[in-house]
Amino acid sequence: MDIQRPEFARRRRIRFVVISAVLLLICSGLAYALYHMKPAAMEADRSALLIDTVHRGSFVREVRGVGTLVPLKILVVAANVEGRVTNRYVLPGTPLEVGTLMYDLANPKIEQDLFEAESGLKGAEADLVNLRATLDGQLLAQQSVTAQVRSDYEQAAVQCEANTQLATQGLIDKITVRKSAVAVEQLQRRLDLETKRIESTRQTATAQIAAQQARLEQLRGLVGLRKQQLADLHVRSGLHGVLQSVDVEIGTYVTAGTVLARVSDPHDLKAQIRIPETQAKDITFNQQAVIDTRNGTLPGHVTRIDPGVKDGSVTIDVALDAPLPSGARPDLSVDGVIRLENVNDVLYTGRVAEAQPGATISLFKLEPGGTAADRVQVRLGRISVNEVELAAGLREGDQIILSDTSAYRDAQRIRIR
């Protein structure tokens, strides 16, 4: 028969409790270690990283944009008359002098109008000659009548004087003398009237001739206009420069005012730079700028700021303060840097990829020794072309990675080999 041994069961329970407690402690320790263990660091090649040091000091705040060289003055060559383009003598890039023939237009109506105007002028000239002859005849006729009246008056005056002398001698009666005096008075009044008629005839003739001459001058002006319109069928350059663009083709019918071409002076250029709207708010007139033509750099200054925004950028005009290098021409692509201000006594480093003013971004800061880097949060300040102000998150002397680290976006730590 079996004999119960209670001490064996007790020892087994104690052993189970001890082993369970040890295992629980081991599992808890492993869990705690795993929880506080840093994730495995990703590796990065030092030669592929752009590393810079945080400095304290001053830098020049600048903004950069791209653009082109454009002429300061562009002459628009327009048609002064309507017509069909029959010939084109120049192409874009052709050097032009004042008077260079550019286009021929055809318009038969202008030739017909010139013929009619010249015919009207010749008719008016003949009418003026005829009018002068007619008025001269009328004046001569009036002068003849006046001369006859003057002769009659003088004869009547002599007869009246003779009758008066005869009456004093009692040879004729007083009635005859009175009749002679009345005849003299009548002829005197008639002579005055005819003399006034001569003056009136002269004034009338002068007014009629002036009216005819005014009509003649009007017709001469019309003939001159028609001749100018005929000459305008041959379109010529009015500026010394280079043909920039041609806006019509042969065979096109154009109306007066239609733009045919554009002419510019290739030696008188300015730069038009497009600056992102977020960076253009601090640009003011006369700020200094540097234009890179890829064949040299030119100093300049801001002369115009476009009030509107197009495609997310603001157009800035920069006047050039130095002669253009060889090869510079309209529409040449250039880079422009505009100097905004001097930023003094701040923490700064090189330009961080995709940096925006006032933004908070994450960067990798190198540990002492430079074998690893941890992700830190950094608040940026003012932005320049090559530098950026550090408002918070870093100290002077810290080393950070400036290059694009999007490949490590999920890593909090990287190891640098």
Side-chain angles (χ1 to χ4, degrees), residues 215-259:
R215 179 171 177 270
L216 194 62
E217 291 301 321
Q218 182 180 11
L219 291 174
R220 284 174 180 165
L222 181 60
V223 170
L225 174 62
R226 299 306 184 201
K227 287 182 178 179
Q228 182 61 49
Q229 289 177 337
L230 189 63
D232 287 340
L233 291 174
H234 306 287
V235 181
R236 300 179 182 273
S237 171
L239 175 71
H240 171 78
V242 172
L243 182 62
Q244 185 174 1
S245 66
V246 173
D247 295 349
V248 295
E249 299 295 333
I250 295 176
T252 304
Y253 191 87
V254 297
T255 59
T258 300
V259 175

Side-chain angles (χ1 to χ4, degrees), residues 160 163 173-186:
C160 181
N163 290 339
D173 56 25
K174 294 182 179 181
I175 295 177
T176 301
V177 175
R178 180 60 182 166
K179 288 181 178 179
S180 300
V182 170
V184 171
E185 292 176 359
Q186 290 177 346

Side-chain angles (χ1 to χ4, degrees), residues 55-59 342-348 382 389-390 396:
H55 303 280
R56 177 174 290 278
S58 303
F59 66 90
N342 290 324
V343 181
N344 300 316
D345 193 23
V346 295
L347 290 177
Y348 71 94
R382 289 163 287 188
E389 179 185 4
L390 301 173
E396 182 179 0

